[in-house]
Structure formats: structure tokens, C-alpha cells
Amino acid sequence: MPINPDTHASVSVNMPKELYEQLKVLAKKNHRSVSAEICRLVEKELEAAKE
């Protein structure tokens, strides 16, 4: 499905390979893409930062 540039931004993130491998495992466990898992984790941290 194409990304709507009016509502979404595409970003590139550099991370250690070990961290990326852990992220892939977590995404698979949660039945999400890596991109969706990153969004979920960032949203969770942003909500926690508001407290």
C-alpha cells in the first residue's frame, strides 16, 4: 500500500545490527511490520514522556 505523503513521513534510521535483529523478532511476535513496530514503540515513549 502506498504511503500518503500528506499524512506520513518517510525516515531513515541507523541502528546497530543487533538492535535491528531484536526489533525484527519483536515485530514478528506482535504480527507487525518493522515499520509499524517502530511507530508503536515511539508512540509509547512519547506518551510516557508527557507524564
Side-chain angles (χ1 to χ4, degrees):
M1 175 176 8
I3 299 297
N4 181 343
D6 293 331
T7 60
H8 291 76
S10 177
V11 297
S12 177
V13 177
N14 294 306
M15 66 180 71
K17 286 183 180 183
E18 182 178 312
L19 181 60
Y20 179 64
E21 293 303 320
Q22 291 175 12
L23 185 58
K24 287 194 314 186
V25 169
L26 183 60
K28 185 174 183 177
K29 175 184 171 189
N30 291 324
H31 306 285
R32 295 185 177 101
S33 66
V34 171
S35 179
E37 192 66 34
I38 291 170
C39 286
R40 186 192 68 82
L41 292 169
V42 170
E43 286 173 347
K44 185 177 175 182
E45 286 301 313
L46 289 173
E47 284 298 318
K50 290 180 183 177
E51 299 173 356

PDB file of all heavy atoms in Angstrom, residues 39-51:
ATOM      1  N   CYS A  39       6.842   2.526  14.965  1.00  0.00           N
ATOM      2  CA  CYS A  39       5.818   3.545  15.257  1.00  0.00           C
ATOM      3  C   CYS A  39       5.184   3.295  16.618  1.00  0.00           C
ATOM      4  O   CYS A  39       4.998   4.225  17.411  1.00  0.00           O
ATOM      5  CB  CYS A  39       4.747   3.559  14.178  1.00  0.00           C
ATOM      6  SG  CYS A  39       5.278   4.301  12.633  1.00  0.00           S
ATOM      7  N   ARG A  40       4.849   2.036  16.904  1.00  0.00           N
ATOM      8  CA  ARG A  40       4.237   1.710  18.183  1.00  0.00           C
ATOM      9  C   ARG A  40       5.166   2.049  19.346  1.00  0.00           C
ATOM     10  O   ARG A  40       4.756   2.650  20.337  1.00  0.00           O
ATOM     11  CB  ARG A  40       3.874   0.225  18.245  1.00  0.00           C
ATOM     12  CG  ARG A  40       3.086  -0.137  19.507  1.00  0.00           C
ATOM     13  CD  ARG A  40       2.983  -1.640  19.713  1.00  0.00           C
ATOM     14  NE  ARG A  40       4.250  -2.260  20.043  1.00  0.00           N
ATOM     15  CZ  ARG A  40       4.793  -2.290  21.275  1.00  0.00           C
ATOM     16  NH1 ARG A  40       4.185  -1.710  22.278  1.00  0.00           N
ATOM     17  NH2 ARG A  40       5.941  -2.891  21.491  1.00  0.00           N
ATOM     18  N   LEU A  41       6.429   1.699  19.217  1.00  0.00           N
ATOM     19  CA  LEU A  41       7.390   1.964  20.284  1.00  0.00           C
ATOM     20  C   LEU A  41       7.605   3.465  20.486  1.00  0.00           C
ATOM     21  O   LEU A  41       7.676   3.940  21.621  1.00  0.00           O
ATOM     22  CB  LEU A  41       8.716   1.271  19.978  1.00  0.00           C
ATOM     23  CG  LEU A  41       8.683  -0.257  20.036  1.00  0.00           C
ATOM     24  CD1 LEU A  41       9.965  -0.842  19.456  1.00  0.00           C
ATOM     25  CD2 LEU A  41       8.451  -0.744  21.452  1.00  0.00           C
ATOM     26  N   VAL A  42       7.681   4.206  19.402  1.00  0.00           N
ATOM     27  CA  VAL A  42       7.869   5.656  19.509  1.00  0.00           C
ATOM     28  C   VAL A  42       6.634   6.299  20.132  1.00  0.00           C
ATOM     29  O   VAL A  42       6.755   7.161  21.023  1.00  0.00           O
ATOM     30  CB  VAL A  42       8.194   6.277  18.129  1.00  0.00           C
ATOM     31  CG1 VAL A  42       8.142   7.789  18.186  1.00  0.00           C
ATOM     32  CG2 VAL A  42       9.558   5.801  17.639  1.00  0.00           C
ATOM     33  N   GLU A  43       5.447   5.908  19.697  1.00  0.00           N
ATOM     34  CA  GLU A  43       4.212   6.446  20.283  1.00  0.00           C
ATOM     35  C   GLU A  43       4.160   6.185  21.785  1.00  0.00           C
ATOM     36  O   GLU A  43       3.808   7.068  22.573  1.00  0.00           O
ATOM     37  CB  GLU A  43       2.984   5.829  19.616  1.00  0.00           C
ATOM     38  CG  GLU A  43       2.725   6.343  18.227  1.00  0.00           C
ATOM     39  CD  GLU A  43       1.612   5.591  17.514  1.00  0.00           C
ATOM     40  OE1 GLU A  43       1.197   4.502  17.993  1.00  0.00           O
ATOM     41  OE2 GLU A  43       1.159   6.090  16.477  1.00  0.00           O
ATOM     42  N   LYS A  44       4.516   4.957  22.180  1.00  0.00           N
ATOM     43  CA  LYS A  44       4.512   4.584  23.593  1.00  0.00           C
ATOM     44  C   LYS A  44       5.473   5.467  24.398  1.00  0.00           C
ATOM     45  O   LYS A  44       5.131   5.955  25.478  1.00  0.00           O
ATOM     46  CB  LYS A  44       4.904   3.107  23.715  1.00  0.00           C
ATOM     47  CG  LYS A  44       4.843   2.539  25.098  1.00  0.00           C
ATOM     48  CD  LYS A  44       5.181   1.054  25.050  1.00  0.00           C
ATOM     49  CE  LYS A  44       5.260   0.461  26.438  1.00  0.00           C
ATOM     50  NZ  LYS A  44       5.633  -0.953  26.408  1.00  0.00           N
ATOM     51  N   GLU A  45       6.663   5.679  23.870  1.00  0.00           N
ATOM     52  CA  GLU A  45       7.653   6.507  24.575  1.00  0.00           C
ATOM     53  C   GLU A  45       7.233   7.975  24.628  1.00  0.00           C
ATOM     54  O   GLU A  45       7.453   8.650  25.638  1.00  0.00           O
ATOM     55  CB  GLU A  45       9.027   6.375  23.918  1.00  0.00           C
ATOM     56  CG  GLU A  45       9.691   5.061  24.211  1.00  0.00           C
ATOM     57  CD  GLU A  45       9.885   4.823  25.711  1.00  0.00           C
ATOM     58  OE1 GLU A  45      10.367   5.730  26.424  1.00  0.00           O
ATOM     59  OE2 GLU A  45       9.541   3.726  26.173  1.00  0.00           O
ATOM     60  N   LEU A  46       6.627   8.466  23.561  1.00  0.00           N
ATOM     61  CA  LEU A  46       6.150   9.854  23.565  1.00  0.00           C
ATOM     62  C   LEU A  46       5.041  10.059  24.581  1.00  0.00           C
ATOM     63  O   LEU A  46       4.983  11.094  25.265  1.00  0.00           O
ATOM     64  CB  LEU A  46       5.693  10.269  22.165  1.00  0.00           C
ATOM     65  CG  LEU A  46       6.808  10.443  21.142  1.00  0.00           C
ATOM     66  CD1 LEU A  46       6.214  10.696  19.750  1.00  0.00           C
ATOM     67  CD2 LEU A  46       7.742  11.581  21.521  1.00  0.00           C
ATOM     68  N   GLU A  47       4.139   9.094  24.702  1.00  0.00           N
ATOM     69  CA  GLU A  47       3.080   9.168  25.710  1.00  0.00           C
ATOM     70  C   GLU A  47       3.690   9.159  27.112  1.00  0.00           C
ATOM     71  O   GLU A  47       3.265   9.927  27.976  1.00  0.00           O
ATOM     72  CB  GLU A  47       2.088   8.016  25.551  1.00  0.00           C
ATOM     73  CG  GLU A  47       1.130   8.204  24.407  1.00  0.00           C
ATOM     74  CD  GLU A  47       0.248   9.432  24.558  1.00  0.00           C
ATOM     75  OE1 GLU A  47      -0.255   9.695  25.675  1.00  0.00           O
ATOM     76  OE2 GLU A  47       0.061  10.134  23.555  1.00  0.00           O
ATOM     77  N   ALA A  48       4.671   8.301  27.336  1.00  0.00           N
ATOM     78  CA  ALA A  48       5.316   8.221  28.653  1.00  0.00           C
ATOM     79  C   ALA A  48       6.045   9.514  28.983  1.00  0.00           C
ATOM     80  O   ALA A  48       6.086   9.930  30.142  1.00  0.00           O
ATOM     81  CB  ALA A  48       6.277   7.041  28.689  1.00  0.00           C
ATOM     82  N   ALA A  49       6.584  10.181  27.970  1.00  0.00           N
ATOM     83  CA  ALA A  49       7.325  11.430  28.197  1.00  0.00           C
ATOM     84  C   ALA A  49       6.404  12.562  28.602  1.00  0.00           C
ATOM     85  O   ALA A  49       6.850  13.532  29.224  1.00  0.00           O
ATOM     86  CB  ALA A  49       8.096  11.805  26.927  1.00  0.00           C
ATOM     87  N   LYS A  50       5.107  12.466  28.275  1.00  0.00           N
ATOM     88  CA  LYS A  50       4.144  13.502  28.637  1.00  0.00           C
ATOM     89  C   LYS A  50       3.816  13.477  30.124  1.00  0.00           C
ATOM     90  O   LYS A  50       3.346  14.454  30.680  1.00  0.00           O
ATOM     91  CB  LYS A  50       2.848  13.324  27.847  1.00  0.00           C
ATOM     92  CG  LYS A  50       2.970  13.645  26.390  1.00  0.00           C
ATOM     93  CD  LYS A  50       1.622  13.422  25.703  1.00  0.00           C
ATOM     94  CE  LYS A  50       1.697  13.657  24.213  1.00  0.00           C
ATOM     95  NZ  LYS A  50       0.407  13.368  23.567  1.00  0.00           N
ATOM     96  N   GLU A  51       4.018  12.326  30.749  1.00  0.00           N
ATOM     97  CA  GLU A  51       3.640  12.156  32.155  1.00  0.00           C
ATOM     98  C   GLU A  51       4.584  12.847  33.089  1.00  0.00           C
ATOM     99  O   GLU A  51       5.682  13.119  32.907  1.00  0.00           O
ATOM    100  CB  GLU A  51       3.540  10.668  32.496  1.00  0.00           C
ATOM    101  CG  GLU A  51       2.499   9.965  31.671  1.00  0.00           C
ATOM    102  CD  GLU A  51       2.499   8.458  31.874  1.00  0.00           C
ATOM    103  OE1 GLU A  51       3.348   7.928  32.609  1.00  0.00           O
ATOM    104  OE2 GLU A  51       1.639   7.801  31.268  1.00  0.00           O
TER     105      GLU A  51
END
